[in-house]
Amino acid sequence: GRAQCTDNDLKLNQIGTGKDVEGKPQWMVTLINGCNCAFSHVILSCRGFHTVEKIKCFILSKSGDECIINYSNAIAPHSSFSFTYAWEDPFPFTVKFAELSCS
């Protein structure tokens, strides 16, 4: 049967890496899928997000106030997806949208 999952099964954690990039602290954001299904088309709310560290567009693509994660590709069941950025303070990312795809 289909596992009952909600958006709450996609957790967002953020920690400092202890490294500096161009004099700014580096942060690692990890999206953790705790569900038996994949999450695709993950979009983070990221109004006002800045980074001095370059992020490849297939990892995070900013469009207006939204950040598209992983080129909209799925985060597999019970796996995670991470990216790093560098700025003065950690940015308060939140998951704005994630499509649950159970096969």
Side-chain angles (χ1 to χ4, degrees), residues 30 45 57 80 82 93 99:
T30 305
S45 185
C57 64
S80 62
S82 298
F93 289 106
E99 187 176 308

Side-chain angles (χ1 to χ4, degrees), residues 23-70:
K24 308 252 191 251
Q26 185 186 57
W27 308 94
M28 177 180 282
V29 177
T30 305
L31 289 155
I32 302 157
N33 180 358
C35 178
N36 291 326
C37 302
F39 280 101
S40 58
H41 304 288
V42 178
I43 296 172
L44 302 183
S45 185
C46 62
R47 182 179 191 168
F49 172 68
H50 297 287
T51 179
V52 292
E53 179 178 357
K54 292 198 176 2
I55 303 174
K56 290 182 170 46
C57 64
F58 61 84
I59 292 174
L60 182 145
S61 175
K62 194 167 186 299
S63 174
D65 294 343
E66 298 178 342
C67 285
I68 299 157
I69 298 299
N70 196 22

Side-chain angles (χ1 to χ4, degrees), residues 1-22:
R2 226 177 102 149
Q4 292 300 313
C5 296
T6 67
D7 288 354
N8 292 333
D9 291 300
L10 186 63
K11 305 269 187 246
L12 190 149
N13 289 341
Q14 188 162 199
I15 56 162
T17 65
K19 296 179 185 168
D20 277 5
V21 179
E22 293 183 28

Side-chain angles (χ1 to χ4, degrees), residues 62-102:
K62 194 167 186 299
S63 174
D65 294 343
E66 298 178 342
C67 285
I68 299 157
I69 298 299
N70 196 22
Y71 253 166
S72 294
N73 290 321
I75 299 172
H78 301 288
S79 69
S80 62
F81 180 84
S82 298
F83 65 91
T84 58
Y85 69 97
W87 200 247
E88 299 289 349
D89 298 303
F91 185 83
F93 289 106
T94 55
V95 177
K96 183 173 185 177
F97 178 82
E99 187 176 308
L100 201 52
S101 41
C102 297

